[in-house]
Amino acid sequence: DIKILGRGKGGRVTGVRITGSRGQRDVLRELPVRRTFGRLNSGMFVLDQERDPKTGALVAVTFIGGGWGHGSGMCQTGAIGRAERGASFRDILRHYYNGATVEKIY
């Protein structure tokens, strides 16, 4: 069985419990969860579980995703795409960190 133990404020999974024939294991925090299941693109997913109608045993699990990455900060792929289209580093930072300013501090 696979159960989602919790979600963060942004809806991303914060932990799962995996139960199998050799026992039970909790995987905590988003990145370890993503790595456990083959490097999922994001912790923003729901599970579609298929069970055997007679025994109730888990037959298949489908992860239905809703995003990329950790859900905060700058997307590297998006930043590269903006730069390739001519955006300055200030434009890119402004897009991902609304209200922040770039200042020289030394």
Side-chain angles (χ1 to χ4, degrees):
D1 194 22
I2 302 173
K3 291 198 182 319
I4 294 173
L5 297 176
R7 294 185 181 273
K9 290 181 183 180
R12 284 164 170 72
V13 170
T14 57
V16 295
R17 175 168 291 147
I18 305 165
T19 305
S21 60
R22 296 189 297 170
Q24 178 176 292
R25 177 177 165 218
D26 290 351
V27 182
L28 304 176
R29 299 188 339 268
E30 182 190 4
L31 187 56
V33 169
R34 290 169 55 191
R35 287 181 175 163
T36 296
F37 296 106
R39 300 198 174 275
L40 297 173
N41 292 330
S42 171
M44 176 75 78
F45 61 81
V46 294
L47 300 174
D48 182 20
Q49 299 182 1
E50 181 184 338
R51 296 189 177 274
D52 182 288
K54 292 180 182 176
T55 66
L58 189 60
V59 176
V61 178
T62 303
F63 291 79
I64 302 167
W68 290 81
H70 47 69
S72 62
M74 186 179 341
C75 169
Q76 293 176 11
T77 305
I80 290 167
R82 288 177 179 278
E84 288 172 343
R85 289 190 305 275
S88 71
F89 77 91
R90 283 186 171 81
D91 293 334
I92 294 168
L93 291 174
R94 206 172 297 124
H95 172 77
Y96 287 101
Y97 302 100
N98 190 19
T101 59
V102 177
E103 297 179 15
K104 188 171 185 171
I105 59 172
Y106 59 92

